[in-house]
Amino acid sequence: MTITYFGQNSLLLTIGDTKVLIDPFISGNPLAKDVIAIDTIQADYILLTHAHQDHILDAEAIAENNDAVIVSNYEIAMHYQAKGITVHPMNHGGSWQFDFGKVQYVNAVHTSSFPDGSYGGQPGGFVISTTGDKHVYIAGDTALTMDMKLIPLKVTLDIAILPIGDNFTMGVDDAIIASDFVACNQVLGVHYDTFGYIEIDHEDAKKKFEAKGKVLTLLDIGQSMDL
Ligand code: NI
Ligand code: MN
């Protein structure tokens, strides 16, 4: 599989022939809007961790362009279903076998209102076990939480995609502990640099992970990694 970074928590997973887009926030991201054109993005599924603007902004447009299925918590799924988009609602702890792999919607400690203040359910993350037998944890926006320890009881992760920007989510130091909790030393950092509150020192962050025997990967916007 290939993981392409579009900034903030926005990622495109290419799993075989299937394209799974996560949390598209591109047209409003000052770091991404001139690099990625949303009308060129292909997606079969759009997974949304929670309802905040910096995770859902381009979901509707990309879903409509591609006839993509939006997968999220029940409240977010109903929000998009009312707009005529095909959805797959989930809730915490539940798993579903999609054609690209098995997805479990897992706990996150955060909030989840829509930009207009309406209720966006409870925030979550995703554990994806792909048809190619890769195991990926997308934490979404979250604090460090003991619930992360449940994940390695069930899957051996190949990569943990963790927020590292601090202020609204975990920062680097808590993300290092999170990588212990999920038993995965390969971390892709997300949710940093987009706004002043979450700017980080890349080299310092990488050194902190390295000192614990871990690898922190930070992709440029538009850059991909193979797994
Ligand atoms: Ni958020
Ligand atoms: Mn966010």
Side-chain angles (χ1 to χ4, degrees):
M1 69 178 292
T2 302
I3 302 172
T4 306
Y5 185 53
F6 291 148
Q8 195 66 344
N9 199 50
S10 186
L11 301 151
L12 182 67
L13 312 183
T14 305
I15 303 166
D17 295 331
T18 306
K19 292 185 182 298
V20 181
L21 182 66
I22 316 295
D23 285 1
F25 170 71
I26 295 157
S27 66
N29 180 346
L31 305 180
K33 65 182 172 60
D34 298 325
V35 183
I36 308 293
I38 61 165
D39 53 7
T40 64
I41 293 175
Q42 295 181 330
D44 299 294
Y45 296 90
I46 302 174
L47 274 54
L48 302 176
T49 59
H50 65 293
H52 284 161
Q53 177 86 321
D54 61 313
H55 298 256
I56 65 158
L57 180 67
D58 298 316
E60 187 175 346
I62 295 171
E64 284 175 349
N65 285 348
N66 290 271
D67 235 345
V69 178
I70 289 184
V71 180
S72 192
N73 69 33
Y74 182 80
E75 289 78 10
I76 293 172
M78 291 307 108
H79 171 89
Y80 287 104
Q81 184 170 266
K83 294 171 180 284
I85 293 168
T86 307
V87 301
H88 182 108
M90 300 185 75
N91 218 325
H92 296 90
S95 299
W96 185 261
Q97 184 72 47
F98 292 89
D99 54 8
F100 60 88
K102 187 177 170 190
V103 175
Q104 186 172 32
Y105 190 61
V106 296
N107 295 347
V109 175
H110 192 68
T111 56
S112 179
S113 48
F114 281 99
D116 68 357
S118 62
Y119 181 55
Q122 297 294 308
F126 296 101
V127 176
I128 305 175
S129 297
T130 75
T131 47
D133 210 28
K134 297 292 183 187
H135 302 277
V136 180
Y137 171 45
I138 298 165
D141 286 5
T142 185
L144 177 65
T145 166
M146 295 295 276
D147 289 339
M148 291 168 176
K149 291 191 170 189
L150 298 172
I151 293 169
L153 299 180
K154 297 172 282 185
V155 298
T156 302
L157 293 174
D158 293 286
I159 195 162
I161 301 177
L162 305 177
I164 57 169
D166 220 332
N167 192 72
F168 297 114
T169 67
M170 296 187 286
V172 169
D173 294 335
D174 280 1
I176 289 169
I177 298 170
S179 76
D180 283 334
F181 282 8
V182 300
C184 182
N185 288 331
Q186 295 291 328
V187 173
L188 175 63
V190 293
H191 214 273
Y192 61 92
D193 283 358
T194 311
F195 318 112
Y197 290 121
I198 61 174
E199 279 173 11
I200 67 158
D201 180 328
H202 295 201
E203 289 315 309
D204 185 57
K206 286 178 185 175
K207 277 184 193 150
K208 282 182 167 177
F209 274 82
E210 205 180 305
K212 299 288 184 183
K214 300 170 186 291
V215 176
L216 174 68
T217 300
L218 300 178
L219 296 174
D220 291 333
I221 291 174
Q223 192 184 356
S224 299
M225 65 184 287
D226 287 321
L227 197 64

